[in-house]
């Protein structure tokens, strides 16, 4: 089921949580809404589900305008951050809930419901736990019960709010892989919210990066990591360093000095801007005559197979720190002088 | 080593003298002001033997008082249950203007003297009131009749269920309800299968307290009842009348019934707290 969000605005007490957001979700896609807290990602998810009503704009499910449909009519599977399992019901009753509340004419017979529940329990690898109560399950198991419960109604779209937020690191990783397999097997259009970029980049077909009620960028993991389209996305996704620079005579200058790199096609040709680069995308410059960024090592730390150095490239009056990766054999002791040049970078106009 | 360890005290624990002193004070106070009077009720009731005690309940006026008290409770408690759930639902799950005002209003009967609660109805329905003559000409009796007693009792007891449920429901939030709705449940189904089971023990607890107060209320009921023997006397009023007539055994016999009710309430309440402590605790944060 395609889902199309068109020019959505959502205000809470006059304060806009979402401002003119449009997004097309393709059928069968696994999509991540990624952003810091307060970016509006959960609000967007709840709007798609019908748990909130938009102030302006519309939401289409396929060709059908679902904007004014109730949450029941939208027929979506929603997995809540804290699962919201019914604590007084067994796991089996929880999963069966969406079927048992149907009107008599639409409700499958009891035996059929029982069969469906068994099937779903099997699908989420929880066979034999149907008689347990939610508080007798681990966090990861509850998560899967919540998913099975949402899947029981054969939803048109599956929506997950911070699906792994409340789990410990190891279970998170396992479940992440499992959810990807699950999605590939069932083929449901799936949207999940996360603030964990690693999760979004690893799991999703496309990542929607959000900030302050707006969509900053929509793209594959490669797109948002390698070709971020805004300073926000560059600094939010992955590690990065930024420098206030000027572009003069076809070269990028920092503090008035040449850096040895020039703006590429599509970058600003002159004026002030901000230079972004990743810590690993730098090369040390050994030739003292060649122009480069220059600074002193403030601190450095060993990080697995690499060394990360915090370098002050500013002046004594205006210190400016950047973190870069340096070869293990380079002198990165505190106070050492280092000259380097970004090998890949992005320049954003001020 | 053992005595070394014993010497260590948690920083919040006082010296033994202070500790035992405080405990003794608490027990002494309870014994003096609670256990002693309670024991006195039962001792007085059985002073002339079991026969006399039972004979007190043979009196038709006493039986009428017991029946009336039960009738009032049977009407007032379910009404307050419905009101309490509705008010708690509205306050805990919706945002609306005047919410803080409603919350304060629910507490009103706790802060107003029961006598005032009764007087309100006298002023409203009495012969000197605006409604009085109209009611009289239509043959509707409210004051000095069962409806007045029921109204006064409802007024006095309506905070119990609501106050028990509001913090509990606020604590539980709307997540479970949203889940039920997203699974296709109707509003009623959501309430019936999700909300109600989530609050059942808190609800039972509130109903228990509400019932105890409904049966034991004296002040407000006394004002509106008119104390017509066999007709508008509830148990607490009947106890006073018997006592004033120097019929001590009968007075204390009826009183022991009320005290027994209180003890049963206490036991059930304690059992509920032991069994469903966590669920009810949320309701006692106020």
């Amino acid at each position: 089921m395609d889902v199309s969000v068109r020019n959505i605005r959502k205000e809470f007490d006059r304060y806009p949580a979402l401002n003119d957001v449009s997004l097309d979700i393709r059928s069968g896609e696994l999509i991540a809404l990624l952003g810091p807290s307060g970016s509006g990602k959960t609000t967007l998810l709840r709007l798609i589900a019908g748990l909130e009503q938009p102030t302006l704009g519309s939401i289409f499910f396929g060709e059908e305008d679902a904007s004014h449909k109730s949450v029941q009519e939208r027929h979506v599977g929603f997995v809540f951050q804290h699962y919201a399992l019914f604590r007084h019901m067994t796991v089996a009753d929880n999963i069966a809930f969406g079927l048992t509340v149907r009107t008599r004419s639409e409700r499958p017979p009891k035996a059929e419901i029982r069969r469906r529940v068994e099937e779903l329990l099997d699908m989420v690898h929880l066979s034999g736990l149907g008689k347990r109560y939610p508080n007798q399950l681990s966090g990861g198991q509850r998560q899967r019960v919540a998913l099975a419960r949402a899947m029981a109604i054969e939803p048109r779209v599956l929506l997950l709010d911070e699906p792994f937020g409340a789990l410990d690191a190891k279970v998170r990783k396992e479940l992440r892989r499992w959810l990807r397999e699950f999605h590939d097997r069932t083929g449901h259009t799936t949207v999940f919210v996360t603030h964990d970029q690693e999760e979004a980049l690893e799991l999703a077909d496309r990542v929607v990066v959000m900030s302050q009620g707006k969509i900053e960028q929509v793209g594959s993991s490669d797109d948002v990591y390698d070709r971020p389209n805004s300073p926000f996305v560059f600094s939010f996704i992955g590690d990065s360093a930024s420098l206030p620079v000027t572009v003069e005579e076809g070269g990028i200058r920092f503090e008035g000095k040449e850096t040895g790199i020039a703006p590429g096609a599509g970058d600003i040709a002159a004026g002030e801007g901000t230079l972004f680069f990743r810590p690993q995308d730098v090369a040390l410059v050994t030739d003292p005559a060649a122009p480069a960024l220059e600074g002193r090592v403030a601190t450095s730390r060993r990080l697995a197979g690499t060394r990360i150095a915090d370098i002050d490239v500013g002046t004594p009056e205006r210190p400016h720190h950047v973190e870069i990766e340096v070869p293990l054999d380079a002198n990165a002791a505190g106070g050492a002088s280092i000259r380097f040049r970004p090998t890949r970078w992005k320049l954003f106009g001020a | 080593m053992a005595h070394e360890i014993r010497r260590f005290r948690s920083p919040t624990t006082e010296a033994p003298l202070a500790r035992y002193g405080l405990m003794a004070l608490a027990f002494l106070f309870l014994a003096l002001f609670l256990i002693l009077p309670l024991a006195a009720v039962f001792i007085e009731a059985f002073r002339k033997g079991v026969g006399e005690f039972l004979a007190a309940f043979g009196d038709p006026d006493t039986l009428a008082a017991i029946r009336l008290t039960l009738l009032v409770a049977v009407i007032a408690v379910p009404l307050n249950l419905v009101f309490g759930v509705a008010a708690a639902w509205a306050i805990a799950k919706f945002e609306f203007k005047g919410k803080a005002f409603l919350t304060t209003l629910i507490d009103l009967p706790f802060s107003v003297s029961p006598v005032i609660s009764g007087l309100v109805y006298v002023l409203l329905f009495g012969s000197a009131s605006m409604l009085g003559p109209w009611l009289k000409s239509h043959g509707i009796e409210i004051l000095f009749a069962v409806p007045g007693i029921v109204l006064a009792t409802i007024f006095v007891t309506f905070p119990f269920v609501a106050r028990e449920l509001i913090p509990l429901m606020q604590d539980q939030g709307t997540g479970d309800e949203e889940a039920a709705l997203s699974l296709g449940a109707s509003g009623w189904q959501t309430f019936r299968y999700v909300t109600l089971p989530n609050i059942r023990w808190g609800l039972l607890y509130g109903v228990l307290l509400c019932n105890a107060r409904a049966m034991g209320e004296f002040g407000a009921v006394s004002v509106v009842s008119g104390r017509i023997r066999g007709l508008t006397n509830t148990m607490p009023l009947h106890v006073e009348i018997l006592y004033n007539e120097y019929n001590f055994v009968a007075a204390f016999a009826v009183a022991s019934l009320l005290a027994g009710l209180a003890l049963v309430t206490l036991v059930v309440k304690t059992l509920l707290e032991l069994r469903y402590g966590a669920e009810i605790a949320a309701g006692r944060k106020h």
Side-chain angles (χ1 to χ4, degrees):
Chain A
M1 176 71 57
D2 289 337
V3 177
S4 171
V5 176
R6 299 182 189 171
N7 307 99
I8 285 282
R9 180 180 175 87
K10 175 65 183 172
E11 293 175 3
F12 292 111
D13 295 331
R14 294 260 185 91
Y15 169 80
L18 286 177
N19 195 359
D20 197 20
V21 165
S22 297
L23 176 66
D24 283 310
I25 300 163
R26 294 189 282 266
S27 189
E29 202 172 22
L30 179 55
I31 216 165
L33 304 181
L34 173 68
S37 52
S39 59
K41 54 194 191 302
T42 296
T43 305
L44 180 55
L45 193 77
R46 290 172 62 86
L47 279 160
I48 296 172
L51 290 168
E52 306 281 354
Q53 289 297 321
T55 311
L56 287 174
S58 49
I59 290 168
F60 280 76
F61 279 35
E63 293 302 307
E64 167 203 44
D65 186 354
S67 312
H68 300 290
K69 298 235 154 147
S70 70
V71 55
Q72 289 102 328
E73 290 167 328
R74 290 197 196 185
H75 215 75
V76 296
F78 201 103
V79 177
F80 291 82
Q81 187 175 4
H82 300 290
Y83 322 134
L85 294 180
F86 308 132
R87 67 204 94 166
H88 58 278
M89 291 183 200
T90 61
V91 165
D93 288 342
N94 262 284
I95 296 173
F97 186 84
L99 300 173
T100 50
V101 295
R102 286 189 184 167
T103 55
R104 196 158 293 166
S105 57
E106 289 173 41
R107 192 191 313 149
K110 270 201 175 133
E112 166 68 14
I113 293 181
R114 218 172 301 136
R115 199 188 55 75
R116 278 286 290 147
V117 169
E118 284 306 317
E119 207 177 274
L120 284 158
L121 277 171
D122 192 49
M123 191 153 80
V124 297
H125 305 306
L126 290 174
S127 299
L129 297 186
K131 291 207 164 60
R132 297 251 188 115
Y133 282 88
N135 63 6
Q136 296 168 313
L137 301 179
S138 72
Q141 289 172 328
R142 283 181 211 178
Q143 168 70 63
R144 282 178 285 155
V145 173
L147 189 61
R149 185 177 69 174
M151 291 298 290
I153 61 167
E154 286 161 356
R156 301 195 285 182
V157 184
L158 191 57
L159 306 168
L160 304 105
D161 187 8
E162 297 269 1
F164 314 110
L167 302 169
D168 60 63
K170 189 169 172 290
V171 181
R172 275 174 101 102
K173 285 213 163 144
E174 281 170 18
L175 267 183
R176 204 190 286 171
R177 212 156 298 145
W178 177 82
L179 181 67
R180 180 73 231 188
E181 284 169 22
F182 184 85
H183 173 264
D184 293 345
R185 202 147 23 101
T186 61
H188 270 81
T189 310
T190 305
V191 184
F192 73 98
V193 157
T194 181
H195 61 264
D196 182 342
Q197 47 174 293
E198 201 186 311
E199 204 165 279
L201 296 181
E202 183 184 327
L203 199 52
D205 296 324
R206 284 197 300 159
V207 179
V208 178
V209 186
M210 297 184 67
S211 160
Q212 298 183 339
K214 287 197 161 164
I215 291 179
E216 293 276 345
Q217 188 171 2
V218 182
S220 67
S221 303
D222 290 345
D223 286 338
V224 294
Y225 190 86
D226 293 333
R227 291 174 288 281
N229 66 356
S230 71
F232 172 81
V233 178
F234 208 120
S235 53
F236 184 69
I237 309 255
D239 293 324
S240 63
S242 68
L243 286 174
V245 293
T246 53
V247 181
E248 279 169 50
E249 296 159 16
I252 297 174
R253 291 165 179 252
F254 173 66
E255 292 286 349
K257 285 188 286 188
E258 277 187 52
T259 57
I261 55 175
D267 284 341
I268 52 165
E272 293 186 357
T274 310
L275 182 74
F276 281 88
F277 55 91
R278 308 258 179 225
Q280 68 273 24
D281 294 336
V282 295
L284 296 190
V285 176
T286 42
D287 177 5
L293 283 163
E294 208 168 348
R296 283 189 187 280
V297 177
T299 57
S300 72
R301 58 181 198 275
R302 177 69 190 257
L303 202 76
T306 62
R307 192 189 302 280
I308 304 285
D310 177 355
I311 296 169
D312 181 4
V313 292
T315 57
E317 302 84 55
R318 274 186 297 168
H320 194 101
H321 288 256
V322 293
E323 285 201 336
I324 62 166
E325 234 180 79
V326 291
L328 290 175
D329 54 3
N331 178 16
S337 175
I338 261 186
R339 307 182 78 241
F340 66 95
R341 222 181 263 161
T343 52
R344 284 160 57 108
W345 69 90
K346 178 100 183 164
L347 185 63
F348 292 103
Chain B
M1 275 308 276
H3 68 276
E4 291 276 335
I5 288 163
R6 270 171 60 189
R7 216 181 274 167
F8 177 79
R9 272 204 321 259
S10 124
T12 52
T13 301
E14 295 301 324
L17 187 68
R19 249 188 305 158
Y20 293 122
L22 279 173
M23 279 194 266
L25 195 70
F27 276 112
L28 194 72
F29 193 86
L30 280 180
L32 208 62
F33 289 95
L34 278 176
I35 298 169
L36 203 62
L38 197 61
V41 169
F42 286 97
I43 289 166
E44 284 297 325
F46 287 101
R47 183 173 287 276
K48 290 186 182 157
V50 181
E52 281 281 308
F53 174 82
L54 290 176
F57 296 107
D59 177 22
D61 287 349
T62 304
L63 288 177
I66 294 173
R67 265 200 303 274
L68 180 61
T69 297
L70 290 177
L71 176 71
V72 169
V74 161
I75 300 171
V77 173
L79 280 176
N80 276 334
L81 185 146
V82 172
F83 166 79
V85 172
W89 178 281
I91 288 170
K93 315 254 169 178
F94 304 141
E95 288 302 325
F96 56 93
K97 278 200 175 112
K99 184 165 148 172
F101 184 62
L102 182 62
T103 315
T104 316
L105 219 56
I106 285 172
D107 281 343
L108 189 70
F110 278 169
S111 50
V112 161
S113 158
V115 178
I116 310 289
S117 313
L119 266 175
V120 169
Y121 290 101
V122 174
L123 293 173
L124 211 61
F125 302 119
S127 51
S129 75
M130 302 236 296
L131 281 172
W134 185 86
L135 289 170
K136 196 168 183 183
S137 65
H138 286 77
I140 302 169
E141 284 187 63
I142 292 181
L143 227 48
F144 312 127
V146 177
I149 298 173
V150 172
L151 283 175
T153 306
I154 290 174
F155 183 90
V156 173
T157 58
F158 83 61
F160 285 98
V161 174
R163 286 206 46 163
E164 192 56 43
L165 292 184
I166 290 167
L168 180 65
M169 288 173 108
Q170 276 173 338
D171 212 48
Q172 290 178 345
T174 50
D176 285 11
E177 280 79 11
E178 284 183 343
L181 292 171
S182 78
L183 292 165
S186 66
W188 168 250
Q189 284 173 324
T190 302
F191 177 74
R192 169 71 188 78
Y193 299 115
V194 176
T195 309
L196 207 55
N198 274 348
I199 60 168
R200 59 191 159 178
W201 299 115
L203 186 63
L204 189 59
Y205 189 88
V207 164
L208 208 65
L209 295 181
C210 180
N211 182 58
R213 182 65 188 270
M215 289 190 172
E217 175 57 23
F218 182 88
V221 169
S222 154
V223 176
V224 295
S225 122
R227 303 178 185 221
I228 307 161
R229 284 192 113 161
L231 281 178
T232 64
N233 254 354
T234 60
M235 279 164 76
L237 300 182
H238 194 59
V239 170
E240 201 210 11
I241 289 179
L242 290 171
Y243 185 83
N244 286 344
E245 288 171 350
Y246 304 104
N247 193 349
F248 295 132
V249 170
F252 282 106
V254 179
S256 70
L257 205 60
L258 277 171
L261 174 81
L263 289 177
V264 169
T265 306
L266 202 68
V267 169
V268 178
K269 176 172 162 288
T270 311
L271 287 177
L272 275 180
E273 277 170 6
L274 282 177
R275 178 79 177 74
Y276 305 102
E279 275 176 57
I280 298 169
R284 275 189 290 138
K285 276 178 200 154
H286 51 250

